[in-house]
């Protein structure tokens, strides 16, 4: 019996929030593994540049901007992808935002904005692309959770609440959809410096504490998340669902480190 493959040839992937930071790295990683990849986000210039990188890997793509807060734009993304490729096998939900401030007077507008993007935006992606996958009887959905899904991080309550909910949503959808061929999992990155969190990490006490609590003694590199994504997107993960795969350099295992 041949073991299931980790390759993604003949697969079509959509990465929402896939043109910067972790999302871009995952989009390029899926392409390198053999998938045709549509990397989308709000910024047309980033969509264009990422598409060029995907094509340089010998894969096919589309140039379509979308906004997870606009359901119609996600529906358009699905429609255009189906028009070009005929199917979507893999969805990665990677759009996200954060803001640090004391919770006691955290503005409700900012709270709603973060949950709208991180949680409700993920739900929209799952609903719109998940319906197509359920109709086909095949799909791989990968949501992006966080170590904040499991532990508290100071003064980012909205972000932490949204990511805890993404974990719960992932498990709920796995319960509902796995028997119909759609596997739903999440990746929970540890500390990976990106444009989203750079100001919270660079030269700060917070950054030094996060580093001290990471047993590997360094922060992650975005490309170190690619292996987890390729696995969860592949047929090798045919019996893996409802899981939150932590890639954190040992952060969650950390207790007393000296």
């Amino acid at each position: 019996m041949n073991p299931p493959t980790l390759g993604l040839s003949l697969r079509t992937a959509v990465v929402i929030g896939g043109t910067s930071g972790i999302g871009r790295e995952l989009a390029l990683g899926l392409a390198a593994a053999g998938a045709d990849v549509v990397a989308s986000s709000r910024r047309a210039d980033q969509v264009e540049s990422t598409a060029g990188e995907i094509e340089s890997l010998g894969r096919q793509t589309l140039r379509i901007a979308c906004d997870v807060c606009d359901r119609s734009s996600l529906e358009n993304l699905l429609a255009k992808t189906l028009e070009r490729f005929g199917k979507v096998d893999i969805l990665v939900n990677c759009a996200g935002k954060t803001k640090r401030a004391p919770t006691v007077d955290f503005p409700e507008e900012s709270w709603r904005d973060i949950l709208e993007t991180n949680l409700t935006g993920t739900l929209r992606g799952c609903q719109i692309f998940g319906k197509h996958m359920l109709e086909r009887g095949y799909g791989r959905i990968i949501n992006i959770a966080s170590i904040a899904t499991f532990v508290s991080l100071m003064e980012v309550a909205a972000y932490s609440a949204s990511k805890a909910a993404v974990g719960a949503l992932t498990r709920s959808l796995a319960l509902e959809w796995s028997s119909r061929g759609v596997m739903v999992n999440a990746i929970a990155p540890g500390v990976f410096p990106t444009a989203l969190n750079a100001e919270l990490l660079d030269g700060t006490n917070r950054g030094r504490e996060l580093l001290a609590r990471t047993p590997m003694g360094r922060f992650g590199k975005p490309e170190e998340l690619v292996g987890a994504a390729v696995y969860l997107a592949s047929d090798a993960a045919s019996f893996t669902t409802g899981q939150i795969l932590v890639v954190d350099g040992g952060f969650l295992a950390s207790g007393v480190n000296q």
Side-chain angles (χ1 to χ4, degrees):
M1 179 178 178
N2 294 325
T5 178
L6 284 166
L8 301 178
S9 61
L10 305 180
R11 299 300 189 193
T12 301
V14 171
V15 183
I16 299 172
T19 65
S20 64
I22 288 171
R24 172 182 165 276
E25 202 67 44
L26 295 184
L28 296 177
L30 295 176
D36 294 321
V37 180
V38 178
S40 187
S41 70
R42 292 181 298 172
R43 291 187 53 178
D45 60 328
Q46 291 184 348
V47 170
E48 178 67 35
S49 63
T50 306
E53 292 180 282
I54 291 168
E55 289 169 339
S56 73
L57 295 170
R59 309 313 308 163
Q60 299 182 62
T61 188
L62 292 173
R63 291 158 169 81
I64 306 171
C66 79
D67 181 351
V68 296
C69 297
D70 179 357
R71 191 177 191 90
S72 65
S73 78
L74 294 176
E75 292 170 339
N76 177 65
L77 177 61
L78 173 61
K80 292 295 178 58
T81 305
L82 294 181
E83 182 181 316
R84 174 64 181 84
F85 296 102
K87 62 186 175 66
V88 175
D89 303 292
I90 302 155
L91 171 69
V92 181
N93 284 304
C94 202
K97 61 174 55 177
T98 190
K99 177 179 180 179
R100 181 178 183 179
T103 307
V104 67
D105 54 6
F106 194 82
E108 284 192 20
E109 181 180 358
S110 296
W111 176 277
R112 288 192 296 267
D113 182 43
I114 290 170
L115 266 69
E116 174 73 8
T117 297
N118 297 2
L119 175 58
T120 309
T122 295
L123 172 65
R124 290 189 187 99
C126 289
Q127 287 179 323
I128 290 166
F129 286 82
K131 184 175 182 180
H132 161 71
M133 293 174 173
L134 290 167
E135 289 171 351
R136 291 185 63 225
Y138 181 92
R140 300 285 188 268
I141 295 177
I142 304 169
N143 297 324
I144 302 302
S146 168
I147 53 171
T149 304
F150 305 99
V151 296
S152 297
L153 305 178
M154 177 68 76
E155 294 182 341
V156 286
Y159 177 82
S160 296
S162 72
K163 290 302 185 179
V166 166
L169 175 64
T170 297
R171 290 186 290 266
S172 294
L173 294 181
L175 185 64
E176 294 184 36
W177 294 357
S178 298
S179 65
R180 299 171 64 185
V182 180
M183 306 299 116
V184 187
N185 294 286
I187 296 171
V191 186
F192 287 76
T194 67
L196 182 67
N197 61 17
E199 66 180 38
L200 299 179
L201 299 177
D202 293 346
T204 66
N205 289 334
R206 186 188 193 85
R208 286 186 282 271
E209 181 180 352
L210 289 169
L211 186 62
R213 290 193 56 186
T214 302
M216 288 188 68
R218 64 174 177 84
F219 295 144
K221 303 172 185 177
E223 60 267 26
E224 292 179 301
L225 294 166
V226 170
V230 170
Y231 165 64
L232 292 175
S234 75
D235 286 340
S238 59
F239 201 58
T240 301
T241 195
Q243 300 305 304
I244 303 173
L245 180 52
V246 179
V247 183
D248 70 347
F251 185 96
L252 291 182
S254 175
V256 177
N257 295 313
Q258 56 187 320

